Amino acid sequence: MDTEALTQRVLKNIFVELEASGRHVHITKEQAQALFGHSLTPKRPLSQPGQYLANERVTVIGPKGRFENVAVLGPERKEGQVEISLTDGKTLGITPPVHLSGNTENSPGATLSGPMGQVTLPKGVICAKRHIHMTPEDAARFGVKDKQTVKLQTFTQRPLIFEDTVVRVSPDFATYVHLDYDEANACGYQPGDLGRILI
Amino acid sequence: MDTEALTQRVLKNIFVELEASGRHVHITKEQAQALFGHSLTPKRPLSQPGQYLANERVTVIGPKGRFENVAVLGPERKEGQVEISLTDGKTLGITPPVHLSGNTENSPGATLSGPMGQVTLPKGVICAKRHIHMTPEDAARFGVKDKQTVKLQTFTQRPLIFEDTVVRVSPDFATYVHLDYDEANACGYQPGDLGRILI
């Protein structure tokens, strides 16, 4: 093993890489048909295995404003969902609850607009609760379990410690911290920045 | 002393109140003349003694976008300054350095537009570094000094610990933590929320 590879391996034993998620949308197969006239098509893979950024984009419309050209992530899901930051919520005139992705309980709705039509979601607008995707191997190494909450110290321009950060463990995951853009900007995140789990 | 007053007094010995600062502008007397044809006029006082929100508002224009109806804070200063969040910077197409208010070194400029004219600032667009305004009495009680950096734990919906938070001590201050809106939303701030200094 050369020095660079060794350095990377040591770093990965101590730190977790941070990623910032911009506003994005998940839709169902039926909603893809209504919005685009066809299923989603992959543009490029995301860090989580099997997940991709779609070529297709939508406009998200709220009572006070709209965002055009919003990313749609594939593959399609069983329920439509819009993930925005609290700052985005002010622009749209929507106050999303802070929930883990997939939990749309008691969330407000929004309208999606695509080249072939519009879809109104009665609910599904959330602010994604910060979380760490982790492989079972990394979870064992860091001594954490699925659904455990940890503190996460960021080594960033504006350093801080995120409390109440949920660990999600699955063999389908790659190990990354997911922050929204309020959190990313609050800590001065730059791509490649690292964090450390404090238990 | 009644129970409520006693509770407030005990709380103030342990916690510091958080405030979120939205995007805003400071201008000189000459710039006020150019933008509005007169000096700033106070609309309401701010938490810091002598500071006020002006009736006058400006449009801030960057290479990629603009914000209309931006707050101007008075009284006038010796140098124009625009304080925005990093999220705002993306909208304007400007990357501000994270500086304490008043430090405009190496900062980019922007154009301000008012009802009577425009002013182009060659520099002065910053992202305000988080800080705690503190009276000398509170500084003595918390055991901190002017310019010291502390950790600040927030008791908010999305709790976190801001590292590298600068304490500013002056008899002209009232004791409040100042966050920008990225930081406020990252911690789920609501008006009245409290923080605790960790040294």
Side-chain angles (χ1 to χ4, degrees):
Chain A
M1 190 179 280
D2 65 23
T3 309
E4 173 59 21
L6 185 63
T7 304
Q8 285 303 319
R9 186 161 160 182
V10 170
L11 283 177
K12 287 215 160 184
N13 281 332
I14 301 171
F15 300 106
V16 192
E17 189 169 337
L18 310 181
E19 278 189 337
S21 300
R23 69 184 77 101
H24 65 269
V25 167
H26 299 280
I27 56 176
T28 66
K29 285 198 165 132
E30 294 70 27
Q31 289 164 348
Q33 281 296 330
L35 292 163
F36 311 113
H38 55 78
S39 294
L40 293 176
T41 58
K43 181 182 166 99
R44 65 170 175 80
L46 301 174
S47 64
Q48 296 306 310
Q51 305 293 304
Y52 60 84
L53 174 69
N55 288 300
E56 294 75 19
R57 299 210 159 223
V58 292
T59 298
V60 176
I61 305 167
K64 281 199 187 166
R66 61 176 59 204
F67 289 112
E68 296 183 358
N69 208 29
V70 174
V72 180
L73 305 191
E76 289 92 344
R77 290 194 178 183
K78 288 186 181 165
E79 189 185 13
Q81 183 174 295
V82 178
E83 296 184 38
I84 59 173
S85 69
L86 296 180
T87 297
D88 291 340
K90 292 277 182 194
T91 303
L92 293 174
I94 294 174
T95 304
V98 180
H99 279 340
L100 283 174
S101 180
N103 175 3
T104 61
E105 262 179 62
N106 299 317
S107 62
T111 296
L112 308 181
S113 180
M116 297 293 281
Q118 289 202 340
V119 167
T120 295
L121 304 178
K123 64 177 180 128
V125 182
I126 64 166
C127 174
K129 190 174 164 70
R130 55 188 172 240
H131 56 278
I132 310 176
H133 290 278
M134 203 174 273
T135 62
E137 296 72 26
D138 285 338
R141 184 158 54 224
F142 287 113
V144 295
K145 291 180 180 170
D146 188 45
K147 294 181 184 146
Q148 184 174 345
T149 61
V150 296
K151 287 182 168 64
L152 179 88
Q153 181 175 26
T154 71
F155 296 90
T156 49
Q157 191 199 357
R158 308 167 91 183
L160 54 77
I161 298 165
F162 289 111
E163 301 191 79
D164 198 17
T165 306
V166 182
V167 176
R168 309 294 301 270
V169 181
S170 164
D172 298 335
F173 289 159
T175 299
Y176 282 95
V177 176
H178 278 185
L179 304 174
D180 72 18
Y181 261 92
D182 286 334
E183 295 166 330
N185 285 329
C187 73
Y189 162 82
Q190 295 289 335
D193 279 346
L194 300 175
R196 191 162 66 100
I197 292 171
L198 310 175
I199 297 178
Chain B
M1 188 178 282
D2 66 22
T3 309
E4 173 59 20
L6 184 63
T7 304
Q8 286 303 320
R9 187 161 157 182
V10 169
L11 283 177
K12 287 215 161 183
N13 280 330
I14 302 172
F15 300 107
V16 191
E17 190 168 338
L18 311 181
E19 279 189 338
S21 300
R23 69 185 77 101
H24 66 269
V25 167
H26 299 280
I27 56 176
T28 66
K29 286 198 165 132
E30 293 70 29
Q31 289 164 349
Q33 282 296 332
L35 293 164
F36 311 113
H38 56 77
S39 294
L40 293 176
T41 58
K43 181 185 167 99
R44 65 171 174 80
L46 300 175
S47 64
Q48 295 307 310
Q51 305 293 304
Y52 61 83
L53 174 69
N55 289 300
E56 294 74 19
R57 298 208 159 228
V58 292
T59 298
V60 176
I61 304 167
K64 281 199 186 166
R66 61 176 58 204
F67 289 111
E68 296 182 358
N69 208 30
V70 174
V72 180
L73 305 191
E76 287 92 344
R77 291 195 178 182
K78 287 186 183 167
E79 188 184 14
Q81 182 174 297
V82 178
E83 296 184 37
I84 59 173
S85 68
L86 296 180
T87 297
D88 290 341
K90 293 276 182 195
T91 303
L92 293 174
I94 293 174
T95 304
V98 180
H99 279 340
L100 282 174
S101 180
N103 175 2
T104 61
E105 260 179 63
N106 298 317
S107 62
T111 296
L112 308 180
S113 181
M116 297 292 282
Q118 289 201 339
V119 167
T120 295
L121 304 178
K123 64 177 181 127
V125 182
I126 64 166
C127 173
K129 189 173 164 71
R130 56 188 172 239
H131 56 278
I132 310 177
H133 289 278
M134 202 174 275
T135 63
E137 296 72 26
D138 284 338
R141 186 158 52 224
F142 287 114
V144 296
K145 291 181 179 169
D146 188 45
K147 296 183 184 143
Q148 184 174 344
T149 60
V150 297
K151 288 182 167 65
L152 180 88
Q153 180 175 27
T154 71
F155 296 90
T156 49
Q157 190 198 358
R158 308 168 91 182
L160 54 77
I161 298 165
F162 289 112
E163 302 192 80
D164 198 17
T165 306
V166 182
V167 176
R168 309 295 300 272
V169 181
S170 166
D172 298 334
F173 288 159
T175 299
Y176 282 95
V177 176
H178 278 184
L179 305 174
D180 73 16
Y181 261 93
D182 286 333
E183 294 167 331
N185 285 329
C187 74
Y189 162 82
Q190 295 289 335
D193 280 346
L194 301 174
R196 190 161 67 100
I197 291 171
L198 310 175
I199 298 176

